[in-house]
Amino acid sequence: MTTEERLSSISNKIKKYDYQPLYQIKVKTQNCYQILVNDFPVYTYFDKIGGEISFNINSAILKSGVQTLKIKIYPSYNSQNIQNEYLTNKDFFSLEIEQTSWNKNGNLEKPETILEYELPKYKTNNNDEPDYQQPIDYSEQNQLIKEFTFTAKVPYELKGWSESEDLSKIDKEVLLKNVLQYYHKTIDAFKDKDFDYFNTLYLKADTEWYQAQYFSESVRANYQKALYQNSFNSLEMLPLKNYKLSYYCNNTVIALESLSGHNKGNSMFSYQFVNNSGAKVIEWNNLFLHIPKGSKELEIIR
């Protein structure tokens, strides 16, 4: 599909709402971690430089109601830039979920915190209060997993993975072969700058993303045209090797993820290019696949 055809298709499916709530997560830590909302990975971080970050999670919220949150905390890097084997008792991790919304003037309302978590330093007593005589020892744990629920109210309803096939029922070798073929055709289209084909592969995923973000027609057009305007100087696709096949969303969503390096825990659809400042930059695109109910063909879901 051409850019104009894609934009027309998207416009026919996007609904406008007076109430446009956004849900954001804020994380502050030096640790590596992964955050999953409704069992979908909204952020994965395995780099050496910690700090504070915030990101939107609306595209993982398919409809109003109770949502699940899973936090996976992993060891940080040491002074030699090698990831520690275990967590330490000096580790710090805090997370907040905030709700805000767009107002009629196009500005975000003051956010409201609806969930908070901080890695505890002490065990709790019978009153669920910190017992300062009993510090928690994390030094023999190589990961920590915490699960919560929160309620979200959104005006839209996304199909997402709610009607997708259970991929765990497919032979893993057969599935891996098909996933690799899909990754190769997507990566080749990007490398060859066949952006009409590339963007058409992402069309359903992009449409749901635009809806969840309440993007205007002009913003949607900018995203659909962005690749054609980027030269990607000295573009080099990184090889598909040293990966794992990861299952999400109750085994309905799958991805190839890197086991090491700058991109650890993220999509194997990664590439290197020289930016306008002359520096080499490594980036990656999400490439999560599913099979719609009743189909046998993989599609991009996010």
Side-chain angles (χ1 to χ4, degrees):
M1 299 172 71
T2 65
T3 301
E4 290 71 24
E5 288 170 336
R6 293 194 307 276
L7 287 171
S8 176
S9 172
I10 292 167
S11 294
N12 290 335
K13 296 178 176 65
I14 295 288
K15 296 180 180 179
K16 294 182 179 180
Y17 301 99
D18 293 331
Y19 177 59
Q20 298 182 331
L22 287 172
Y23 291 85
Q24 302 169 331
I25 288 181
K26 287 185 175 180
V27 175
K28 184 185 293 184
T29 187
Q30 295 295 322
N31 288 72
C32 301
Y33 60 94
Q34 184 179 54
I35 309 295
L36 300 100
V37 173
N38 296 322
D39 202 31
F40 183 83
V42 292
Y43 200 83
T44 302
Y45 187 83
F46 276 92
D47 211 339
K48 304 174 181 65
I49 303 173
E52 187 172 354
I53 191 170
S54 62
F55 48 90
N56 216 311
I57 59 172
N58 271 46
S59 61
I61 298 174
L62 303 186
K63 62 181 180 179
S64 293
V66 176
Q67 320 293 321
T68 64
L69 170 71
K70 182 181 289 187
I71 305 170
K72 297 182 179 182
I73 304 172
Y74 300 100
S76 59
Y77 282 80
N78 60 29
S79 57
Q80 284 76 46
N81 286 332
I82 299 173
Q83 189 178 10
N84 294 313
E85 185 176 357
Y86 297 104
L87 300 170
T88 76
N89 295 329
K90 294 182 179 180
D91 286 343
F92 175 82
F93 183 96
S94 70
L95 177 145
E96 290 181 49
I97 298 182
E98 293 182 339
Q99 177 187 340
T100 181
S101 61
W102 293 107
N103 61 27
K104 293 181 179 179
N105 298 322
N107 299 316
L108 286 175
E109 301 285 358
K110 183 179 179 180
E112 172 191 356
T113 299
I114 60 172
L115 185 148
E116 290 183 279
Y117 171 75
E118 187 171 309
L119 185 67
K121 298 293 184 183
Y122 301 93
K123 297 178 181 179
T124 54
N125 57 27
N126 294 333
N127 297 321
D128 203 28
E129 297 174 342
D131 184 343
Y132 297 109
Q133 303 301 315
Q134 296 191 69
I136 299 175
D137 183 11
Y138 293 106
S139 61
E140 294 185 1
Q141 299 186 52
N142 54 23
Q143 69 172 348
L144 181 68
I145 299 176
K146 300 295 291 185
E147 298 186 39
F148 305 90
T149 61
F150 65 97
T151 300
K153 183 180 179 181
V154 292
Y156 59 78
E157 186 166 336
L158 308 179
K159 181 179 288 187
W161 47 87
S162 63
E163 299 178 11
S164 302
E165 296 288 348
D166 183 349
L167 301 177
S168 67
K169 295 180 179 179
I170 302 175
D171 181 270
K172 193 168 185 178
E173 289 188 10
V174 173
L175 183 60
L176 176 58
K177 179 182 177 182
N178 292 335
V179 169
L180 280 168
Q181 288 177 345
Y182 204 107
Y183 267 67
H184 279 298
K185 79 173 183 180
T186 308
I187 290 169
D188 286 347
F190 184 83
K191 180 178 62 177
D192 296 338
K193 299 184 179 181
D194 187 357
F195 295 137
D196 278 337
Y197 179 61
F198 178 83
N199 283 328
T200 301
L201 290 175
Y202 274 93
L203 182 58
K204 289 184 179 179
D206 283 343
T207 301
E208 290 203 332
W209 180 47
Y210 299 162
Q211 179 67 87
Q213 300 294 336
Y214 317 108
F215 285 154
S216 66
E217 188 173 345
S218 61
V219 172
R220 300 195 301 261
N222 286 339
Y223 272 110
Q224 285 296 310
K225 296 174 182 178
L227 289 176
Y228 305 88
Q229 300 163 358
N230 197 323
S231 59
F232 291 110
N233 297 320
S234 304
L235 179 65
E236 177 187 354
M237 308 306 300
L238 301 184
L240 286 178
K241 63 179 183 179
N242 196 25
Y243 54 76
K244 65 175 180 178
L245 198 58
S246 296
Y247 294 75
Y248 296 106
C249 305
N250 197 27
N251 297 322
T252 60
V253 174
I254 202 163
L256 285 182
E257 296 177 346
S258 175
L259 288 171
S260 63
H262 180 84
N263 193 29
K264 182 178 178 181
N266 283 294
S267 168
M268 286 299 298
F269 179 2
S270 53
Y271 50 92
Q272 178 177 276
F273 64 96
V274 178
N275 65 16
N276 293 333
S277 301
K280 286 187 177 181
V281 179
I282 294 178
E283 291 188 358
W284 55 88
N285 284 0
N286 280 343
L287 186 48
F288 294 94
L289 304 174
H290 79 134
I291 298 178
K293 188 70 70 176
S295 174
K296 294 183 179 180
E297 300 297 324
L298 290 164
E299 285 185 359
I300 299 175
I301 185 67
R302 288 292 183 270

